[in-house]
Amino acid sequence: MSTGAGVEVQKRLEVLIQDFRTSDPPMPVVVLHAEDSTDDDQVVQLVEELHRGQDAHGTRCAVVPTTQEGPTEVRKAAALVRDLADPKRWDGQRSVYRRYAFPRLRLVRAIEDAVGELGPGWQTATGAGLGRPDPAQRLLDQLAKQRWRPKSSRRWNPGPAQLDMAHILPASLVAGLAALLARSHWSVALASGIGFLVLLVLLDNVLPGRAPIFLWLRRESRWFMTTTFLRAASRGRPTDVSLLRPVQSWKAIAARAQDVAEALQDGDDFQLQLYVLALFEDLRDNHRRWSWDLRGLKRHRPPMLFLPEAGADNGGIELIKAVSDVRSRRSELDPLLIVAAVRGVEVSRLQRSVITQPGGTLWIWYQEWTRNLRAGQSPSRELAELPWVLKVPLPGVRLGPLADGRLPCVRADTRPTAARVVWSLHALVLVLLLVAAGLWVRADDLRDRYCSASVLTANRDTERKKVDDDPTECIGVATGDVRFTDWLPDGKASEHKAGAPWTLPWLENRIAEQNRKVLDKHGKDYLTVIYAGPLSYDEDGGSSPVKGIEELAGVHLAQQVINDTYPVKLRVLIANGGVDLRHQKDMAKTIAAYAAEDPSVVGVIGTGRDLKTSTETNKTLRDAGLPVVSGTNSATYLPQQFANWFSLAATDEWQVQQLGLVAAQLRDPGQIQHALVLARDTSESDDLYTDEQAKYGAQMLRQKGFTMLPELRYELDQGKPVMRGPVDAFCKGPDVPSVIYFAGRVEDIGPMMDLLGTSPICAQRDISILTGDDLSKAKFTQGTDGVAPKVTLYHAALAELEKAASMTSFYKDAGRYLPGLGSKPSYKTAALSSGQTALAHDATRALYWAATRDGDPNRAATWVNLRTVKLSGMATGTIDFTGAPLYGDRSGHSVALKEVRSSADGTPRLKVLCSRVAGDATPLTQGECTISGPE
């Protein structure tokens, strides 16, 4: 500041501003005037200098012009306040936070502009015969044309009302929330959102007066209807607004608008004071500390209005009077600090000063003003019209330049408030970025871990697993919209070896359809079983989900028969253990977790491969109280270790003992015969079936008198067997074996036969190969798998289907419920000949029978009841668990010993040597298992 008076005034203003940061001090109208009229220009310059200083300090300032158009001083003052509704008028060089908003002041301006458009006499009543509309309706129509905005608004009348963003944005918000809450498919949500938006916009345009939608909920409308300053509405008209009564609220606003319009038409002091009141309410709202954006805590300097020359030419004196009158009538404090310069000839119009003693400082005057403020507002006080005015006479000696020529600067503390730092646009952007990054990381993590995931949630019943460089597999229980088909490689979803007519997509969809019917129509009168099998595809071609698909077909067939026949319905959930069930341990944990939440789950079907993880897998299921009925797992140790284990497959040890009936016929007692075990290398896999077969096969061959050569192992390269080395080792060795026990998988038999048929030595020798039940999956009848010309293959099969065919409805049911099997499917039908489908069907029927034996399905009873199961007429015979010891193998498994030779034209010729249907515990004999002689 360049003058002593300026320094003093600026210092007092900054003290007020400092207090404003933590409290709400009363803000006076500071009127500066010179003691000598000859110094009036210096006072004007002082106010202008104060304005420049406050603007540089970051105060939101507005300055009024020295002249204002209008017929009277009151109209000039009203026009002056009307212009203050432009937020740009309050912009400064260093103003913090965003611009001010003046919705209340703009609403009053809109009504006044509508009155101006209607012209004088618009409120005069007219007869219906003249065809002129009602005055109230004319006002509403004009406000609708203006869209309830002032005419000077840059958005006034921009285009069709239907495209007005004031209509569309609120409607869009409601429509968007409705669409999100619908939680339906995106297309349904989008359609419902758009439909709701169109409905709201149409409703908005048929409302009386076509006001912006939700007008009665806006803050300016609430003030408009609740302020006591406005006179009451006419008798019989509604006067309140309610969230639940939009039509009545709209009528109340319309009635109040008409009353205000009629008062504004007169142009008296009411017009000016209403403008001032609206300005105060807007400024108070702009500095509300505990608003949603904490704007009052960020705007730590009060707004200031500067009147460099308050007088008759710009209505400044009338404005000062109106400010004092409105503040006296209202009980709330507002933040506006007004600094005005009044010339000496105009000071008398302010009538009364609170200064009782000449001299002193501005601080003393302010203290005296605050002491007299309350009493000064009393109407009974003489000449008490302007209690909020603080007149400060400035002596000429204080208006001159400072003696030392310095320009001191006084400023309140400018450190940012905590709210400005923590709750600001920049902080919001940072928080949003952090939240978005967190959501992205979480969503990415969920997508990496689970098969079905959104931004915040995931279906935790299935997880993504990856082994080495293999493609991701989906492991767990398929619930919700999860389908294991979606995780098969492109082009593999419909692949099925040997041309079976059903596919995994078809089975999953049909089972899901059955499950929906069960849940929708049968309430709680159902039980749930979980099929656990291999439903992933090996990109290297070593394994495919064929076994799992065939077993799942049997489970689905049983589900269809049961749901069409019995009152208690069957719900089937599908669980995937990955390629060759290598993730069965994780699958078992997921099954156990799901069963803990769903008491309708009574047991598990499947887990049909004997792996090193089978013990831990079954332990997890046992601890969850789940019995397991397997169709094809031939592990010897599982029934010995677990009371919850039930299998339709004969154990490996028992199967090898039956193959000993064949080996005894291949042994010539008078000669030394060499034999060996050729097995798959399991050092890098958890395949236990191969090791069990190799162990029991070697024991059996020794018992039959064969001279055993060292065991040979072949490795896998990208899922393919590498057998040339092992085959050359025994074909080129000094002792060529006459019998080989093959402890491998069905997919390895083809490469071995090709090497035996092309080896110069082995191709000329009669060689017999014995192997286990995995060869049941070979399709010899179709010629897709073959044997070398001098080789005879003997293998065990888990199911004797031919003898049981005449005693079961399995094939009739399969023709009815499974597609593409022809009119009369049989045990010779390629898709059913392996026995995988039949065994899974029988296992499902057995588990269902045990669960429903007492009429009230529950998990514990199912476990107990399984030892009472005896079902005739199944696909493999009679399923009989009644004689099963608690920890030991039962008898009465279905079994067949088969012989495969190459015919003269090179096609394989299959012969069943001997067999037993399920339920028949009569031991096989060597006499009935007679092999064919060499051709």
Side-chain angles (χ1 to χ4, degrees), residues 648 650 654-655 658 796-800 876 892-897 912 914-918 920 924:
L648 274 59
W654 188 84
Q655 288 182 49
Q658 309 314 305
L798 292 178
E800 167 48 65
T876 59
H893 297 289
S894 176
V895 70
L897 300 184
V912 177
C914 52
S915 62
R916 293 284 185 270
V917 296
D920 185 355
L924 293 172

PDB file of all heavy atoms in Angstrom, residues 648 650 654-655 658 796-800 876 892-897 912 914-918 920 924:
ATOM      1  N   LEU A 648     -16.176 -99.059  -9.225  1.00  0.00           N
ATOM      2  CA  LEU A 648     -16.710-100.147 -10.034  1.00  0.00           C
ATOM      3  C   LEU A 648     -15.609-100.886 -10.779  1.00  0.00           C
ATOM      4  O   LEU A 648     -15.856-101.936 -11.385  1.00  0.00           O
ATOM      5  CB  LEU A 648     -17.722 -99.596 -11.055  1.00  0.00           C
ATOM      6  CG  LEU A 648     -19.170 -99.440 -10.585  1.00  0.00           C
ATOM      7  CD1 LEU A 648     -19.271 -98.505  -9.384  1.00  0.00           C
ATOM      8  CD2 LEU A 648     -20.042 -98.890 -11.721  1.00  0.00           C
ATOM      9  N   ALA A 650     -12.198-103.077 -11.208  1.00  0.00           N
ATOM     10  CA  ALA A 650     -11.349-104.043 -10.501  1.00  0.00           C
ATOM     11  C   ALA A 650      -9.980-103.433 -10.275  1.00  0.00           C
ATOM     12  O   ALA A 650      -9.470-102.689 -11.106  1.00  0.00           O
ATOM     13  CB  ALA A 650     -11.234-105.327 -11.330  1.00  0.00           C
ATOM     14  N   TRP A 654      -5.679-107.203  -8.820  1.00  0.00           N
ATOM     15  CA  TRP A 654      -6.588-108.298  -9.177  1.00  0.00           C
ATOM     16  C   TRP A 654      -6.614-108.502 -10.685  1.00  0.00           C
ATOM     17  O   TRP A 654      -6.651-109.638 -11.165  1.00  0.00           O
ATOM     18  CB  TRP A 654      -7.991-107.973  -8.647  1.00  0.00           C
ATOM     19  CG  TRP A 654      -8.954-109.105  -8.781  1.00  0.00           C
ATOM     20  CD1 TRP A 654      -9.125-110.150  -7.927  1.00  0.00           C
ATOM     21  CD2 TRP A 654      -9.885-109.293  -9.851  1.00  0.00           C
ATOM     22  NE1 TRP A 654     -10.109-110.981  -8.374  1.00  0.00           N
ATOM     23  CE2 TRP A 654     -10.605-110.486  -9.569  1.00  0.00           C
ATOM     24  CE3 TRP A 654     -10.206-108.598 -11.006  1.00  0.00           C
ATOM     25  CZ2 TRP A 654     -11.607-110.987 -10.394  1.00  0.00           C
ATOM     26  CZ3 TRP A 654     -11.200-109.095 -11.832  1.00  0.00           C
ATOM     27  CH2 TRP A 654     -11.895-110.267 -11.535  1.00  0.00           C
ATOM     28  N   GLN A 655      -6.599-107.398 -11.454  1.00  0.00           N
ATOM     29  CA  GLN A 655      -6.569-107.520 -12.918  1.00  0.00           C
ATOM     30  C   GLN A 655      -5.333-108.294 -13.386  1.00  0.00           C
ATOM     31  O   GLN A 655      -5.412-109.177 -14.248  1.00  0.00           O
ATOM     32  CB  GLN A 655      -6.559-106.135 -13.568  1.00  0.00           C
ATOM     33  CG  GLN A 655      -7.849-105.361 -13.497  1.00  0.00           C
ATOM     34  CD  GLN A 655      -7.724-104.024 -14.216  1.00  0.00           C
ATOM     35  OE1 GLN A 655      -7.251-103.994 -15.347  1.00  0.00           O
ATOM     36  NE2 GLN A 655      -8.140-102.956 -13.572  1.00  0.00           N
ATOM     37  N   GLN A 658      -5.632-111.931 -12.984  1.00  0.00           N
ATOM     38  CA  GLN A 658      -6.444-112.573 -14.015  1.00  0.00           C
ATOM     39  C   GLN A 658      -5.642-112.711 -15.306  1.00  0.00           C
ATOM     40  O   GLN A 658      -5.770-113.717 -16.026  1.00  0.00           O
ATOM     41  CB  GLN A 658      -7.726-111.770 -14.276  1.00  0.00           C
ATOM     42  CG  GLN A 658      -8.516-111.418 -13.030  1.00  0.00           C
ATOM     43  CD  GLN A 658      -8.686-112.587 -12.068  1.00  0.00           C
ATOM     44  OE1 GLN A 658      -9.183-113.657 -12.455  1.00  0.00           O
ATOM     45  NE2 GLN A 658      -8.251-112.393 -10.818  1.00  0.00           N
ATOM     46  N   ALA A 796      -6.863-106.443 -20.149  1.00  0.00           N
ATOM     47  CA  ALA A 796      -8.045-106.505 -19.292  1.00  0.00           C
ATOM     48  C   ALA A 796      -8.975-105.354 -19.661  1.00  0.00           C
ATOM     49  O   ALA A 796      -8.532-104.282 -20.081  1.00  0.00           O
ATOM     50  CB  ALA A 796      -7.638-106.418 -17.832  1.00  0.00           C
ATOM     51  N   ALA A 797     -10.244-105.561 -19.486  1.00  0.00           N
ATOM     52  CA  ALA A 797     -11.254-104.518 -19.703  1.00  0.00           C
ATOM     53  C   ALA A 797     -12.102-104.400 -18.451  1.00  0.00           C
ATOM     54  O   ALA A 797     -12.392-105.408 -17.785  1.00  0.00           O
ATOM     55  CB  ALA A 797     -12.117-104.838 -20.909  1.00  0.00           C
ATOM     56  N   LEU A 798     -12.511-103.171 -18.140  1.00  0.00           N
ATOM     57  CA  LEU A 798     -13.221-102.913 -16.891  1.00  0.00           C
ATOM     58  C   LEU A 798     -14.704-103.271 -16.960  1.00  0.00           C
ATOM     59  O   LEU A 798     -15.368-103.289 -15.926  1.00  0.00           O
ATOM     60  CB  LEU A 798     -13.079-101.434 -16.502  1.00  0.00           C
ATOM     61  CG  LEU A 798     -11.676-100.981 -16.093  1.00  0.00           C
ATOM     62  CD1 LEU A 798     -11.688 -99.502 -15.779  1.00  0.00           C
ATOM     63  CD2 LEU A 798     -11.180-101.765 -14.898  1.00  0.00           C
ATOM     64  N   ALA A 799     -15.223-103.505 -18.131  1.00  0.00           N
ATOM     65  CA  ALA A 799     -16.662-103.723 -18.232  1.00  0.00           C
ATOM     66  C   ALA A 799     -16.952-104.837 -19.228  1.00  0.00           C
ATOM     67  O   ALA A 799     -16.446-104.812 -20.350  1.00  0.00           O
ATOM     68  CB  ALA A 799     -17.377-102.446 -18.641  1.00  0.00           C
ATOM     69  N   GLU A 800     -17.744-105.782 -18.808  1.00  0.00           N
ATOM     70  CA  GLU A 800     -18.288-106.802 -19.701  1.00  0.00           C
ATOM     71  C   GLU A 800     -19.675-106.318 -20.112  1.00  0.00           C
ATOM     72  O   GLU A 800     -20.635-106.374 -19.339  1.00  0.00           O
ATOM     73  CB  GLU A 800     -18.371-108.155 -18.986  1.00  0.00           C
ATOM     74  CG  GLU A 800     -19.207-109.204 -19.698  1.00  0.00           C
ATOM     75  CD  GLU A 800     -18.880-109.333 -21.171  1.00  0.00           C
ATOM     76  OE1 GLU A 800     -17.751-109.743 -21.496  1.00  0.00           O
ATOM     77  OE2 GLU A 800     -19.752-109.009 -21.997  1.00  0.00           O
ATOM     78  N   THR A 876     -23.465-102.555 -16.679  1.00  0.00           N
ATOM     79  CA  THR A 876     -22.381-103.536 -16.501  1.00  0.00           C
ATOM     80  C   THR A 876     -22.815-104.726 -15.670  1.00  0.00           C
ATOM     81  O   THR A 876     -21.982-105.574 -15.329  1.00  0.00           O
ATOM     82  CB  THR A 876     -21.166-102.865 -15.832  1.00  0.00           C
ATOM     83  OG1 THR A 876     -21.564-102.325 -14.564  1.00  0.00           O
ATOM     84  CG2 THR A 876     -20.613-101.759 -16.713  1.00  0.00           C
ATOM     85  N   GLY A 892     -16.763-109.205  -7.168  1.00  0.00           N
ATOM     86  CA  GLY A 892     -17.924-109.002  -8.030  1.00  0.00           C
ATOM     87  C   GLY A 892     -17.775-107.865  -9.011  1.00  0.00           C
ATOM     88  O   GLY A 892     -18.781-107.312  -9.495  1.00  0.00           O
ATOM     89  N   HIS A 893     -16.525-107.506  -9.354  1.00  0.00           N
ATOM     90  CA  HIS A 893     -16.306-106.481 -10.368  1.00  0.00           C
ATOM     91  C   HIS A 893     -16.622-107.034 -11.754  1.00  0.00           C
ATOM     92  O   HIS A 893     -16.422-108.222 -12.039  1.00  0.00           O
ATOM     93  CB  HIS A 893     -14.849-106.016 -10.353  1.00  0.00           C
ATOM     94  CG  HIS A 893     -14.435-105.356  -9.084  1.00  0.00           C
ATOM     95  ND1 HIS A 893     -14.862-104.116  -8.702  1.00  0.00           N
ATOM     96  CD2 HIS A 893     -13.609-105.786  -8.082  1.00  0.00           C
ATOM     97  CE1 HIS A 893     -14.339-103.786  -7.538  1.00  0.00           C
ATOM     98  NE2 HIS A 893     -13.563-104.796  -7.132  1.00  0.00           N
ATOM     99  N   SER A 894     -17.059-106.161 -12.616  1.00  0.00           N
ATOM    100  CA  SER A 894     -17.170-106.523 -14.026  1.00  0.00           C
ATOM    101  C   SER A 894     -15.776-106.541 -14.619  1.00  0.00           C
ATOM    102  O   SER A 894     -14.960-105.653 -14.345  1.00  0.00           O
ATOM    103  CB  SER A 894     -18.042-105.504 -14.764  1.00  0.00           C
ATOM    104  OG  SER A 894     -18.079-105.791 -16.141  1.00  0.00           O
ATOM    105  N   VAL A 895     -15.464-107.556 -15.447  1.00  0.00           N
ATOM    106  CA  VAL A 895     -14.140-107.668 -16.027  1.00  0.00           C
ATOM    107  C   VAL A 895     -14.222-108.502 -17.294  1.00  0.00           C
ATOM    108  O   VAL A 895     -15.128-109.339 -17.460  1.00  0.00           O
ATOM    109  CB  VAL A 895     -13.139-108.295 -15.024  1.00  0.00           C
ATOM    110  CG1 VAL A 895     -13.448-109.778 -14.798  1.00  0.00           C
ATOM    111  CG2 VAL A 895     -11.699-108.094 -15.482  1.00  0.00           C
ATOM    112  N   ALA A 896     -13.283-108.267 -18.185  1.00  0.00           N
ATOM    113  CA  ALA A 896     -13.169-109.073 -19.408  1.00  0.00           C
ATOM    114  C   ALA A 896     -11.704-109.136 -19.791  1.00  0.00           C
ATOM    115  O   ALA A 896     -10.970-108.156 -19.642  1.00  0.00           O
ATOM    116  CB  ALA A 896     -14.003-108.482 -20.534  1.00  0.00           C
ATOM    117  N   LEU A 897     -11.261-110.305 -20.248  1.00  0.00           N
ATOM    118  CA  LEU A 897      -9.923-110.465 -20.816  1.00  0.00           C
ATOM    119  C   LEU A 897     -10.080-110.594 -22.316  1.00  0.00           C
ATOM    120  O   LEU A 897     -10.848-111.438 -22.798  1.00  0.00           O
ATOM    121  CB  LEU A 897      -9.223-111.695 -20.227  1.00  0.00           C
ATOM    122  CG  LEU A 897      -9.018-111.684 -18.710  1.00  0.00           C
ATOM    123  CD1 LEU A 897      -8.221-112.932 -18.290  1.00  0.00           C
ATOM    124  CD2 LEU A 897      -8.324-110.430 -18.239  1.00  0.00           C
ATOM    125  N   VAL A 912     -13.048-111.852 -27.153  1.00  0.00           N
ATOM    126  CA  VAL A 912     -13.190-111.887 -25.698  1.00  0.00           C
ATOM    127  C   VAL A 912     -12.870-113.305 -25.234  1.00  0.00           C
ATOM    128  O   VAL A 912     -13.556-114.265 -25.613  1.00  0.00           O
ATOM    129  CB  VAL A 912     -14.604-111.473 -25.265  1.00  0.00           C
ATOM    130  CG1 VAL A 912     -14.737-111.586 -23.743  1.00  0.00           C
ATOM    131  CG2 VAL A 912     -14.918-110.062 -25.713  1.00  0.00           C
ATOM    132  N   CYS A 914     -12.611-114.418 -21.881  1.00  0.00           N
ATOM    133  CA  CYS A 914     -13.483-114.764 -20.762  1.00  0.00           C
ATOM    134  C   CYS A 914     -13.922-113.481 -20.083  1.00  0.00           C
ATOM    135  O   CYS A 914     -13.280-112.436 -20.225  1.00  0.00           O
ATOM    136  CB  CYS A 914     -12.781-115.685 -19.765  1.00  0.00           C
ATOM    137  SG  CYS A 914     -11.172-115.064 -19.199  1.00  0.00           S
ATOM    138  N   SER A 915     -14.992-113.541 -19.323  1.00  0.00           N
ATOM    139  CA  SER A 915     -15.502-112.315 -18.703  1.00  0.00           C
ATOM    140  C   SER A 915     -16.453-112.637 -17.577  1.00  0.00           C
ATOM    141  O   SER A 915     -16.931-113.775 -17.449  1.00  0.00           O
ATOM    142  CB  SER A 915     -16.225-111.452 -19.760  1.00  0.00           C
ATOM    143  OG  SER A 915     -17.347-112.144 -20.278  1.00  0.00           O
ATOM    144  N   ARG A 916     -16.751-111.613 -16.785  1.00  0.00           N
ATOM    145  CA  ARG A 916     -17.757-111.662 -15.734  1.00  0.00           C
ATOM    146  C   ARG A 916     -18.506-110.328 -15.734  1.00  0.00           C
ATOM    147  O   ARG A 916     -17.909-109.267 -15.858  1.00  0.00           O
ATOM    148  CB  ARG A 916     -17.115-111.873 -14.359  1.00  0.00           C
ATOM    149  CG  ARG A 916     -16.456-113.236 -14.153  1.00  0.00           C
ATOM    150  CD  ARG A 916     -17.504-114.311 -13.920  1.00  0.00           C
ATOM    151  NE  ARG A 916     -16.855-115.585 -13.602  1.00  0.00           N
ATOM    152  CZ  ARG A 916     -16.502-116.495 -14.490  1.00  0.00           C
ATOM    153  NH1 ARG A 916     -16.696-116.251 -15.788  1.00  0.00           N
ATOM    154  NH2 ARG A 916     -15.944-117.630 -14.112  1.00  0.00           N
ATOM    155  N   VAL A 917     -19.810-110.423 -15.592  1.00  0.00           N
ATOM    156  CA  VAL A 917     -20.582-109.186 -15.436  1.00  0.00           C
ATOM    157  C   VAL A 917     -20.481-108.742 -13.993  1.00  0.00           C
ATOM    158  O   VAL A 917     -20.113-109.522 -13.101  1.00  0.00           O
ATOM    159  CB  VAL A 917     -22.057-109.385 -15.839  1.00  0.00           C
ATOM    160  CG1 VAL A 917     -22.187-109.720 -17.306  1.00  0.00           C
ATOM    161  CG2 VAL A 917     -22.712-110.444 -14.967  1.00  0.00           C
ATOM    162  N   ALA A 918     -20.779-107.488 -13.739  1.00  0.00           N
ATOM    163  CA  ALA A 918     -20.758-106.967 -12.378  1.00  0.00           C
ATOM    164  C   ALA A 918     -21.742-107.736 -11.516  1.00  0.00           C
ATOM    165  O   ALA A 918     -22.859-108.050 -11.930  1.00  0.00           O
ATOM    166  CB  ALA A 918     -21.108-105.479 -12.382  1.00  0.00           C
ATOM    167  N   ASP A 920     -21.147-110.775 -10.394  1.00  0.00           N
ATOM    168  CA  ASP A 920     -20.806-112.195 -10.456  1.00  0.00           C
ATOM    169  C   ASP A 920     -19.410-112.363  -9.877  1.00  0.00           C
ATOM    170  O   ASP A 920     -18.405-111.965 -10.479  1.00  0.00           O
ATOM    171  CB  ASP A 920     -20.857-112.673 -11.904  1.00  0.00           C
ATOM    172  CG  ASP A 920     -20.625-114.184 -12.027  1.00  0.00           C
ATOM    173  OD1 ASP A 920     -20.329-114.827 -10.990  1.00  0.00           O
ATOM    174  OD2 ASP A 920     -20.712-114.715 -13.149  1.00  0.00           O
ATOM    175  N   LEU A 924     -12.568-116.470 -12.354  1.00  0.00           N
ATOM    176  CA  LEU A 924     -12.226-116.914 -13.697  1.00  0.00           C
ATOM    177  C   LEU A 924     -11.254-118.078 -13.621  1.00  0.00           C
ATOM    178  O   LEU A 924     -10.436-118.169 -12.698  1.00  0.00           O
ATOM    179  CB  LEU A 924     -11.585-115.754 -14.482  1.00  0.00           C
ATOM    180  CG  LEU A 924     -12.465-114.560 -14.831  1.00  0.00           C
ATOM    181  CD1 LEU A 924     -11.624-113.433 -15.441  1.00  0.00           C
ATOM    182  CD2 LEU A 924     -13.568-114.973 -15.787  1.00  0.00           C
TER     183      LEU A 924
END
